[in-house]
Amino acid sequence: MPRRTATMLASTLMLIALLCAGVLINVPYSEMSPGPTVNTLGDHDGEPVLQISGHKTYATSGHLNMTTVRVTSADYKMNLLEAVYGWLSHDNKVVPHDTLYPDGKTEQQSTQENAEEFSQSQESAKVAALKELDVPVKSWVIVSTVLKGSPAEGRLHAGDVIKAVDGTVVKQPTDVATLVTKHKPGQDVVFTVVPAKEQAAAEKANKTATKTEKVTVTTTTSDDSGAKRAIVGISAGTDHTFPFSIDIKLADVGGPSAGLMFSLGIYDKLTPGSLTGGKFVAGTGTIDDDGTVGPIGGISMKTIGARSKGAQYFLTPADNCAEAAKDTPSGLTLVKVKTIGDALGALKDIRGGDTGALPKCTAKG
């Protein structure tokens, strides 16, 4: 066999062997890619994303799009060839599997966690928008979750309203942990609560629940690797009563990152005129009850997805600006926001055509 032919044959066989190895060898990585983007001012699957009743609403125009990231499932086994392709692809991002599913978290657990975060983000979006409009919202601290096998199981229940801990009035969720951890493990904590059923009945009757109970729970030691601290096995959250109905209809989406865009959509529907001036604005960011915008993951995937759908401006959490500015899609302006107030101010500049005044993201933040 001529040397040249033999060399080509050997090279071909080696290439085939490498390709086979690339397909057969699994690597501990997952992939992120741009996901769907949905206009919070429009419809999705045949019905309005934001449905408001019991209060006057106004016509809107333009886009206020929330953005998402698509990720491979927890049990998906990525092979070496797919990982290399992902690393070379501009529109995808390959990350360690543990980044998306830490501590062996299953896809079911991740989905449940994302659903809970999505639900909480909707509540905070409503509160932030109404606060910005000076519409009063009633709020109270509740038992959000009870850890299975913890001292609180069977004594406290999700939805119980926490009025006080050891006689000290609770005003916000963080107060609960602060008061519990003043104890040493093994000591008793006395919770003053309105039972969840009592609270639900009062809300249904549009009344204020007055019946309270005192519940004693013995603390245990946390599983944290650091200093020992007392816990009872609950997480505290906030529940609200709104003066009118605001429903967010969007399925198959999880996580807290749509909070900012939901709040802006609600604000737009409750105020005359158009926030966007007909422009295509997209964005992302968590939001808390006070309107503070927080960072999210997968920012580059979200900017790519937004621009591919036609977005001209992208409302970007300040803490994500530096990363987003490293690879901004052509034609997309990244606008830095820290609060819902910042976002409203930016939208005013956008609809007025004063884009020079926009606080833009840079490589420094």
Side-chain angles (χ1 to χ4, degrees), residues 249-314:
K249 302 292 186 180
L250 194 59
D252 301 324
V253 176
S257 64
L260 171 63
M261 302 313 293
F262 284 145
S263 66
L264 293 174
I266 293 167
Y267 186 100
D268 199 358
K269 284 181 172 287
L270 292 175
T271 53
S274 168
L275 278 184
T276 68
K279 301 293 195 306
F280 195 135
V281 181
T284 189
T286 66
I287 199 162
D288 64 18
D289 290 0
D290 294 324
T292 300
V293 176
I296 50 80
I299 186 67
S300 60
M301 299 296 98
K302 292 184 176 183
T303 57
I304 291 170
R307 183 55 186 153
S308 69
K309 293 299 183 181
Q312 303 159 286
Y313 303 91
F314 194 91

Side-chain angles (χ1 to χ4, degrees), residues 61-84:
S61 65
H63 288 71
L64 284 172
N65 279 46
M66 53 83 68
T67 51
T68 64
V69 175
R70 184 179 286 111
V71 299
T72 50
S73 64
D75 56 0
Y76 182 76
K77 304 298 183 182
M78 177 177 284
N79 62 48
L80 181 60
L81 194 61
E82 290 172 319
V84 172

Side-chain angles (χ1 to χ4, degrees), residues 149-227:
S150 69
E153 185 180 17
R155 303 192 65 77
L156 295 173
H157 305 86
D160 287 349
V161 178
I162 305 174
K163 306 292 286 186
V165 175
D166 293 326
T168 301
V169 175
V170 168
K171 296 181 179 180
Q172 54 189 4
T174 53
D175 292 343
V176 178
T178 299
L179 292 167
V180 169
T181 53
K182 285 184 176 181
H183 292 267
K184 293 180 180 180
Q187 293 182 334
D188 289 343
V189 181
V190 179
F191 292 84
T192 303
V193 303
V194 176
K197 291 182 179 180
E198 179 76 14
Q199 179 65 26
E203 288 182 41
K204 188 174 182 180
N206 198 26
K207 296 180 179 180
T208 300
T210 57
K211 179 183 177 181
T212 62
E213 296 180 357
K214 292 187 183 297
V215 179
T216 301
V217 182
T218 303
T219 61
T220 188
T221 306
S222 71
D223 292 330
D224 296 349
S225 58

Side-chain angles (χ1 to χ4, degrees), residues 1-354:
M1 181 183 296
R3 181 178 296 176
R4 182 177 180 183
T5 301
T7 301
M8 291 179 63
L9 179 60
S11 298
T12 301
L13 291 173
M14 184 174 290
L15 179 59
I16 292 172
L18 289 173
L19 289 173
C20 290
V23 172
L24 295 173
I25 297 174
N26 292 329
V27 291
Y29 290 92
S30 296
E31 186 175 71
M32 303 168 65
S33 59
T37 172
V38 178
N39 186 10
T40 62
L41 302 176
D43 293 351
H44 183 67
D45 288 342
E47 61 179 345
V49 175
L50 300 176
Q51 301 180 12
I52 301 174
S53 59
H55 192 283
K56 185 176 181 179
T57 57
Y58 299 85
T60 60
S61 65
H63 288 71
L64 284 172
N65 279 46
M66 53 83 68
T67 51
T68 64
V69 175
R70 184 179 286 111
V71 299
T72 50
S73 64
D75 56 0
Y76 182 76
K77 304 298 183 182
M78 177 177 284
N79 62 48
L80 181 60
L81 194 61
E82 290 172 319
V84 172
Y85 179 81
W87 280 320
L88 296 175
S89 173
H90 177 263
D91 290 353
N92 299 331
K93 186 175 183 180
V94 174
V95 298
H97 184 274
D98 290 346
T99 301
L100 300 178
Y101 304 101
D103 302 323
K105 186 184 295 182
T106 66
E107 185 169 2
Q108 183 178 8
Q109 290 171 326
S110 180
T111 299
Q112 177 62 30
E113 183 178 295
N114 285 335
E116 291 173 356
E117 290 177 339
F118 185 63
S119 178
Q120 182 57 52
S121 75
Q122 293 181 47
E123 291 298 290
S124 292
K126 298 173 190 178
V127 176
L130 295 185
K131 280 189 175 181
E132 196 68 25
L133 291 166
D134 293 325
V135 176
V137 177
K138 294 180 181 179
S139 304
W140 51 84
V141 178
I142 63 166
V143 175
S144 181
T145 58
V146 180
L147 185 65
K148 187 175 182 180
S150 69
E153 185 180 17
R155 303 192 65 77
L156 295 173
H157 305 86
D160 287 349
V161 178
I162 305 174
K163 306 292 286 186
V165 175
D166 293 326
T168 301
V169 175
V170 168
K171 296 181 179 180
Q172 54 189 4
T174 53
D175 292 343
V176 178
T178 299
L179 292 167
V180 169
T181 53
K182 285 184 176 181
H183 292 267
K184 293 180 180 180
Q187 293 182 334
D188 289 343
V189 181
V190 179
F191 292 84
T192 303
V193 303
V194 176
K197 291 182 179 180
E198 179 76 14
Q199 179 65 26
E203 288 182 41
K204 188 174 182 180
N206 198 26
K207 296 180 179 180
T208 300
T210 57
K211 179 183 177 181
T212 62
E213 296 180 357
K214 292 187 183 297
V215 179
T216 301
V217 182
T218 303
T219 61
T220 188
T221 306
S222 71
D223 292 330
D224 296 349
S225 58
K228 294 181 179 180
R229 59 188 179 89
I231 62 169
V232 295
I234 66 169
S235 61
T238 308
D239 202 359
H240 310 90
T241 294
F242 298 101
F244 49 90
S245 174
I246 305 174
D247 288 325
I248 299 175
K249 302 292 186 180
L250 194 59
D252 301 324
V253 176
S257 64
L260 171 63
M261 302 313 293
F262 284 145
S263 66
L264 293 174
I266 293 167
Y267 186 100
D268 199 358
K269 284 181 172 287
L270 292 175
T271 53
S274 168
L275 278 184
T276 68
K279 301 293 195 306
F280 195 135
V281 181
T284 189
T286 66
I287 199 162
D288 64 18
D289 290 0
D290 294 324
T292 300
V293 176
I296 50 80
I299 186 67
S300 60
M301 299 296 98
K302 292 184 176 183
T303 57
I304 291 170
R307 183 55 186 153
S308 69
K309 293 299 183 181
Q312 303 159 286
Y313 303 91
F314 194 91
L315 302 178
T316 311
D319 289 341
N320 288 124
C321 265
E323 180 185 356
K326 290 178 182 177
D327 191 19
T328 307
S330 177
L332 187 67
T333 299
L334 303 182
V335 183
K336 182 195 294 188
V337 295
K338 294 181 179 180
T339 66
I340 186 176
D342 290 346
L344 291 170
L347 288 168
K348 181 180 179 181
D349 291 334
I350 289 170
R351 66 177 178 269
D354 189 13

